[in-house]
Amino acid sequence: MLVATGCSRLIMFNTVVPKDEGARRIVRDAAYAPGPRGRIDLYTPTRPVGAGLRPVIVFLYGGSWNSGTKDGYGFVGRALAARGFLVAIPDYRLVPKVRYPAFVEDGAAAVRWVRAHAAEWGGDPARLVLVGHSAGAYNAAMLAYDPRWLGADRAAIKGFAGLAGPYDFDPFDGPIASAAFQGAGEARATQPVSHVAPGAPPALLATGDKDTTVRPANSDSLAARLTAVGTPATLRRYPAVGHVGILTAIAQPWRGRAPVLDDVAAFAARVTAEPGSPPGMRP
């Protein structure tokens, strides 16, 4: 169902791709949970924060729930931080060492750590946006819409932006989903669409029309459910963009292929705008 870019290839891509000026990594490998996968990095704009606190983006990467490392996503952290956000990118435990719901639980622990420490780095712990790609978009959607994972901390989630995410994909008839969700119990309870209720955070749901890995119908289904309960949901389908291309379009050399970075940054700025801020004002 989900195909991951090899970790080594992604780290190499992140190493050679030009990075955004105006942003830097300020925290590396902070421990938000025990074990080697319970580590998190933070990125921030280089310009002064001023009198207020910046909104925060927590980015969860994909990789079929069985691969991935935050070390391959510095280009994402710097790109979003250069737009004015404090950006957190955590690792999380992977299949086959764990299965659902461990990777969602790790995401929740990372969000709680960010809320506890964001202000130390100029971030506002009350204004968080969850952003994810592929399996990471699934994890982020579960945190945004299923109150089991974050509890009272869910009130700080002002929006969710999913890139090529799976939100409505049971039964688990493929080897990747079967491995990740083996023993999960009721399949529908694992699906983000099943947990949408009135008051859910607004969403930006972005896909590529050439994505044959996670079908755009997943985003259509989640958007329909959000709309049905009165939550704003924006669908963006980029022409001639595939499953990996929607992610690499965030990198400087490929931004002309799709305005993914612009769309995510504008959405995050809008949903975290403080009262009295001019419309469209960047954080």
Side-chain angles (χ1 to χ4, degrees):
M1 180 192 137
L2 302 177
V3 177
T5 302
C7 290
S8 59
R9 291 174 56 196
L10 189 56
I11 291 172
M12 182 176 297
F13 174 86
N14 183 66
T15 299
V16 301
V17 73
K19 306 299 189 301
D20 284 77
E21 297 180 1
R24 63 189 178 94
R25 182 170 59 190
I26 52 170
V27 172
R28 183 175 185 179
D29 289 336
Y32 75 84
R37 299 291 301 178
R39 299 293 181 266
I40 194 168
D41 294 347
L42 296 180
Y43 298 82
T44 188
T46 54
R47 67 179 186 268
V49 69
L53 295 173
R54 304 184 188 279
V56 180
I57 288 176
V58 180
F59 178 81
L60 301 177
Y61 56 76
S64 304
W65 299 289
N66 62 27
S67 66
T69 170
K70 62 182 174 54
D71 295 336
Y73 290 88
F75 73 99
V76 176
R78 286 184 171 87
L80 290 169
R83 298 300 181 97
F85 302 93
L86 178 68
V87 181
I89 304 181
D91 276 328
Y92 53 90
R93 290 173 294 168
L94 300 172
V95 175
K97 290 187 176 180
V98 300
R99 293 182 173 85
Y100 172 90
F103 36 80
V104 180
E105 292 170 339
D106 286 357
V111 168
R112 291 192 184 97
W113 185 92
V114 169
R115 291 207 68 205
H117 295 280
E120 300 169 20
W121 308 101
D124 188 343
R127 292 189 293 151
L128 272 62
V129 177
L130 302 180
V131 181
H133 172 248
S134 192
Y138 168 88
N139 297 352
M142 289 295 282
L143 297 177
Y145 300 122
D146 184 347
R148 290 179 294 172
W149 309 115
L150 287 175
D153 289 301
R154 185 166 164 260
I157 307 304
K158 304 306 180 184
F160 159 65
L163 309 179
Y167 315 116
D168 189 5
F169 57 93
D170 70 304
F172 308 133
D173 53 4
I176 293 173
S178 296
F181 293 89
Q182 181 181 355
E186 174 55 44
R188 289 307 293 172
T190 69
Q191 303 298 285
V193 293
S194 298
H195 300 285
V196 172
L204 169 67
L205 303 172
T207 64
D209 67 0
K210 299 296 185 184
D211 192 340
T212 58
T213 302
V214 176
R215 300 289 183 178
N218 281 269
S219 293
D220 296 340
S221 179
L222 182 55
R225 178 60 186 150
L226 288 165
T227 301
V229 300
T231 294
T234 301
L235 276 170
R236 290 285 277 142
R237 189 169 297 182
Y238 305 112
V241 172
H243 189 67
V244 175
I246 198 171
L247 176 68
T248 57
I250 295 174
Q252 283 192 23
W254 292 281
R255 286 178 189 164
R257 296 180 179 178
V260 180
L261 177 60
D262 288 343
D263 289 345
V264 171
F267 170 78
R270 183 171 67 251
V271 298
T272 59
E274 296 179 304
S277 297
M281 180 180 177
R282 287 183 178 176

